[in-house]
Amino acid sequence: MARPAHRLTMAALALAVTGATTALPTAPVQAASPATANAPANAPANVTAASRAAASSSASAASSAASRRKGDTPARQRLVGAWTTSTDRVVAALGGQTVRMVVRVSAGGGGTRLRLSNVFGTAPVTFAHVHVGAQAYGAEILTGTNRQVTFGGRKSVRVPAGRAVWSDPIPGRIVAGSALVVSLFLPGTVGGITGHERAYATTFLSDPGDHAAEETADGFTYTSTQWYFLDRIAVETTSKAGSVVAFGDSITDGAGQNTDANRRWTDYLRQRMVRVSPSRRMAVLNAGIAGNRLLRSGIGPSGLSRFYRDALTQPGVRTVVVFMGINDISRGEYTSIKPLAYGYKRLIALAHARKIKVVGATLTPFYGFGTWTPEREDVRLRLNQWIRTSKAFDGVLDFDRAVRDAEFPEQLAASYDSGDHLHLSDAGRRRLAYTVNLRAL
């Protein structure tokens, strides 16, 4: 299978020009508390105070003496999500080979951790070797940056079905916006794979064997557009800003963009965050699943059933944007908004119990899509009015008003329509991101 051509990422280009290899550390990986390697899948993603102290000890030891001499108190390190994807069971055949995935992080910092999930698996999965490096292009890793990742001090880890595991912290720092390459060697055949169906990114699959430590792309001869097992990356930072989670369906997942384009509305929002002062710069985490519904499982677990795991337990989460419900309307037979409003209220109550802010987004038009009917349009309009006026949410993003046609508001404006009259064009997704009042987050 032919592999697509890839552009050199900005982070890799900068490293290549300067000759630096500081995107990922050259020092050996240090072990964190084994408790973090066996955290239940639904447990909060933050580590314990003891393991956080152990994780940051190597980074803080060198500066502590200088800080004391200056009379300063070292800044407290916080664990914040830098990247995430929402998972389900995906159809794929993997085993005896290496999986290489490329993800773009939205936050920078030290003490980088990866989380591998077997939540939807039917049997334990062994990861014999895991490496992470900085992308040069495609499956190729920038020379000198590919590092071994450990779990409780060990190079391999066995993850039971229904569980997820955090790696040990990796010394050094990563830069916000950089593309990381995560390679997983699976020595045995895996059944019931936990992953993300529509990554809108190229994943590289190797010939048989362990190619995780290799920085060249020679061993990777197949591709897919799914992500496997990797569901979170977190970093330690002194910023108090935390993260915002976009919780939604295909419009959030990125439908309508080209593979490897990184033009989800959350990607555009991440780019806006770069221009915000560091003290207010939030990480942006995408928890969208294409086809997902708020009230019913089907394509992925329902929004209600996955909200705690996919949104509320993200490290450092402060705000969740709920942009979900159009699939419930377009594929359902609701004549009242009460079930959907009740679903929203349940999400809000769960978030508020953890002191997390919830911002509601109005549902965008879908006139011209195959499932549109006047009755469904009436439900959408009434639900949007409830989102705007009920004061149930801590804030409102009026995505409907931002992308609808001014003369015929039942449909998307032509420049914001991907062509199917439901999903947005690149310009439409960018418009959503620039509709967000950053101070409201």
Side-chain angles (χ1 to χ4, degrees), residues 178-194:
S178 59
L180 300 185
V181 179
V182 179
S183 304
L184 315 174
F185 172 52
L186 303 165
T189 301
V190 181
I193 294 172
T194 297

Side-chain angles (χ1 to χ4, degrees), residues 53-385:
S56 62
S57 61
S58 60
S60 61
S63 62
S64 60
S67 295
R68 286 193 296 271
R69 284 194 299 270
K70 295 177 182 179
D72 295 334
T73 301
R76 180 186 176 190
Q77 296 288 318
R78 296 172 176 81
L79 198 63
V80 174
W83 176 87
T84 195
T85 191
S86 295
T87 56
D88 191 12
R89 183 177 297 178
V90 299
V91 177
L94 299 173
Q97 65 189 139
T98 305
V99 175
R100 178 162 285 181
M101 296 165 287
V102 182
V103 299
R104 191 171 297 275
V105 294
S106 68
T112 305
R113 295 165 171 83
L114 315 179
R115 195 176 85 156
L116 303 179
S117 175
N118 191 25
V119 169
F120 295 95
T122 56
V125 176
T126 296
F127 302 94
H129 288 109
V130 178
H131 278 67
V132 59
Q135 186 190 33
Y137 54 88
E140 187 166 336
I141 296 171
L142 196 68
T143 302
T145 67
N146 201 23
R147 302 290 174 237
Q148 175 88 54
V149 179
T150 61
F151 300 81
R154 298 181 179 181
K155 294 180 179 180
S156 66
V157 64
R158 183 175 182 267
V159 185
R163 306 274 286 189
V165 59
W166 281 101
S167 75
D168 299 333
I170 306 171
R173 300 184 67 81
I174 60 172
V175 179
S178 59
L180 300 185
V181 179
V182 179
S183 304
L184 315 174
F185 172 52
L186 303 165
T189 301
V190 181
I193 294 172
T194 297
H196 188 82
E197 179 65 34
R198 299 185 186 180
Y200 301 101
T202 303
T203 289
F204 302 90
L205 306 173
S206 78
D207 294 324
D210 183 1
H211 300 272
E214 297 172 8
E215 293 181 330
T216 69
D218 297 342
F220 296 86
T221 55
Y222 305 96
T223 63
S224 84
T225 53
Q226 298 170 317
W227 282 317
Y228 309 111
F229 305 111
L230 178 70
D231 74 341
R232 292 183 186 181
I233 297 176
V235 297
E236 290 179 355
T237 178
T238 57
S239 171
K240 298 180 180 180
S243 62
V244 54
V245 177
F247 188 75
D249 46 44
S250 56
I251 300 176
T252 296
D253 206 4
Q257 67 173 328
N258 293 330
T259 299
D260 298 321
N262 290 301
R263 292 176 181 170
R264 305 164 189 84
W265 73 263
T266 52
D267 291 315
Y268 289 113
L269 183 60
R270 171 184 58 80
Q271 293 167 15
R272 286 190 66 198
M273 287 289 181
V274 172
R275 294 184 282 275
V276 175
S277 66
S279 64
R280 297 192 299 109
R281 188 180 303 155
M282 303 179 77
V284 181
L285 304 177
N286 188 308
I289 295 181
N292 204 215
R293 300 193 204 187
L294 176 65
L295 302 180
R296 293 184 59 182
S297 297
I299 302 178
S302 71
L304 282 176
S305 64
R306 70 183 184 90
F307 187 65
Y308 177 82
R309 180 184 65 245
D310 289 352
L312 301 186
T313 64
Q314 295 288 346
V317 59
R318 287 183 52 189
T319 304
V320 180
V321 175
V322 175
F323 181 31
M324 178 182 287
I326 198 65
N327 290 321
D328 297 76
I329 295 172
S330 67
R331 298 177 184 177
E333 300 300 331
Y334 297 103
T335 57
S336 169
I337 69 167
K338 288 183 178 180
L340 289 160
Y342 175 71
Y344 288 144
K345 289 177 180 178
R346 286 183 60 187
L347 301 186
I348 294 166
L350 287 170
H352 284 176
R354 297 176 67 90
K355 302 186 185 306
I356 295 171
K357 183 187 298 186
V358 186
V359 176
T362 54
L363 305 181
T364 51
F366 70 110
Y367 176 85
F369 191 69
T371 60
W372 186 93
T373 66
E375 293 77 18
R376 287 168 173 161
E377 176 66 11
D378 180 64
V379 174
R380 185 185 74 90
L381 293 176
R382 284 188 283 127
L383 186 61
N384 278 349
Q385 186 63 13

Side-chain angles (χ1 to χ4, degrees), residues 32-40 46-48 51 152 163-166 168:
S33 167
T36 65
N38 294 306
N46 58 308
V47 297
T48 64
S51 63
R163 306 274 286 189
V165 59
W166 281 101
D168 299 333

